[in-house]
Amino acid sequence: MYLTKEKKAEIFAKHGESATDTGSSEGQIALFTFRINHLTEHLKNNRKDYNTERSLVKLVGKRRNLLDYLIKKDIVRYREIIKELGIRK
């Protein structure tokens, strides 16, 4: 499995308040970005995997909603997470 407990805790520790702070917007955005990157690589090799493509589109939408929430809530945090994760907009 590509996403282990340790990797998930590491993502939340780096981008959230702590390793157990799974509810922070930044942590969730970072986790979605990690999963999106993984699915993108998978689709490069398996271009006819339409179920994965659908999952990828749903994840991008969820991340977009969280980013929209964060931009309304705190523009500084939004800019930091965009810069940190290399998400373009």
Side-chain angles (χ1 to χ4, degrees):
M1 183 164 200
Y2 73 98
L3 187 61
T4 61
K5 277 187 188 180
E6 294 79 22
K7 183 64 179 172
K8 200 173 200 180
E10 177 187 326
I11 290 171
F12 282 116
K14 184 176 179 188
H15 298 286
E17 296 292 321
S18 67
T20 58
D21 181 25
T22 59
S24 68
S25 297
E26 291 92 345
Q28 290 182 14
I29 290 168
L31 180 65
F32 287 157
T33 301
F34 178 81
R35 291 174 62 193
I36 286 168
N37 291 338
H38 176 75
L39 291 178
T40 302
E41 290 301 315
H42 172 78
L43 283 174
K44 285 180 182 175
N45 297 330
N46 305 287
R47 60 187 178 88
K48 291 190 176 184
D49 188 355
Y50 299 115
N51 291 324
T52 301
E53 186 177 347
R54 181 173 186 268
S55 299
L56 177 64
V57 170
K58 288 180 72 139
L59 269 178
V60 169
K62 284 183 180 183
R63 184 179 71 179
R64 178 79 260 149
N65 287 339
L66 277 172
L67 287 169
D68 289 343
Y69 164 77
L70 198 56
I71 205 170
K72 291 177 191 171
K73 185 82 170 162
D74 190 357
I75 191 77
V76 175
R77 286 171 46 197
Y78 170 79
R79 288 184 180 142
E80 286 174 3
I81 196 76
I82 289 292
K83 190 175 189 180
E84 211 171 296
L85 295 174
I87 301 172
R88 60 181 176 191
K89 173 155 186 204

